[in-house]
Amino acid sequence: MPGRFTFTMIKPGAVRNEFIGPILAMINEKKFHIAAMKYIWLTQKEAREFYSVHKGKPFYESLVEFMTSGPVVAAILEKENAVEDYRKLIGATNPIEAEEGTIRRLFAESLEKNAVHGSDSDENAINECNFFFSKYERFPMEDLK
Ligand code: ATP
Ligand code: MG
């Protein structure tokens, strides 16, 4: 059964362009609950570790530089089938290939500066949520009822 949580970041480019509000509005519209959220400036160490699967690739250094160029909004999103549904909402990695109406199509500047991150599997979602949030910083829907 697919998990109920995914992890997202609104990347520095979208923050600089004042797209935090519009992106969060789309997230809420699609009925994702924001279970955790913080506004932070990633350290070099955090960015390197977060994108360590891409270490050695030609875009890695530039990606780390971009991800540490300003603050990001990090959040845990809750919904049935969260990982797949959120990847659908954000669209393809390359905004040129992203479907009309997706977050990346609307707000990305380039393949690198592509507005948002979204976990690509339940396993990575769990790891990424744990990377950024302690259990005391999470407020899933169940706790609010
Ligand atoms: P993310 O992990 O950020 O959600 P993704 O899973 O769609 O994106 P990945 O293949 O994991 O894509 O790449 C991670 C990030 O690295 C991309 O979101 C993008 O910012 C950057 N990136 C990926 N491929 C390239 C590339 N060829 N050139 C420049 N940047 C790239
Ligand atoms: Mg990825």
Side-chain angles (χ1 to χ4, degrees):
M1 207 174 78
R4 293 178 54 77
F5 296 96
T6 192
F7 174 78
T8 188
M9 270 194 283
I10 302 176
K11 299 185 182 185
V15 170
R16 263 192 295 275
N17 291 327
E18 308 294 7
F19 292 145
I20 295 176
I23 290 170
L24 291 180
M26 288 178 71
I27 287 169
N28 282 149
E29 236 161 66
K30 289 289 179 190
K31 304 294 176 207
F32 288 90
H33 165 68
I34 295 169
M37 176 170 276
K38 55 176 72 164
Y39 190 35
I40 48 171
W41 197 313
L42 298 184
T43 63
Q44 278 277 330
K45 188 168 178 278
E46 286 168 334
R48 286 184 176 281
E49 195 176 332
F50 186 78
Y51 278 121
S52 60
V53 293
H54 298 299
K55 204 170 168 185
K57 292 186 187 164
F59 61 84
Y60 178 70
E61 294 300 328
S62 171
L63 178 62
V64 168
E65 192 178 320
F66 168 58
M67 290 303 294
T68 56
S69 68
V72 301
V73 174
I76 299 177
L77 305 180
E78 178 179 9
K79 185 182 188 287
E80 291 302 331
N81 203 31
V83 167
E84 197 187 331
D85 285 4
Y86 190 62
R87 296 284 290 196
K88 221 174 276 169
L89 176 61
I90 69 180
T93 308
N94 188 342
I96 297 169
E97 290 159 18
E99 271 185 56
E100 198 105 12
T102 58
I103 291 175
R104 281 170 168 166
R105 178 67 173 262
L106 287 165
F107 303 117
E109 298 160 85
S110 66
L111 170 54
E112 180 183 75
K113 299 180 170 69
N114 61 356
V116 287
H117 161 79
S119 307
D120 60 10
S121 67
D122 285 338
E123 192 192 348
N124 284 337
I126 291 165
N127 290 336
E128 292 169 3
C129 291
N130 290 337
F131 187 83
F132 283 101
F133 295 99
S134 78
K135 66 178 178 179
Y136 304 107
E137 297 171 307
R138 300 174 193 214
F139 313 100
M141 193 41 104
E142 200 52 37
D143 293 354
L144 307 180
K145 282 180 179 159

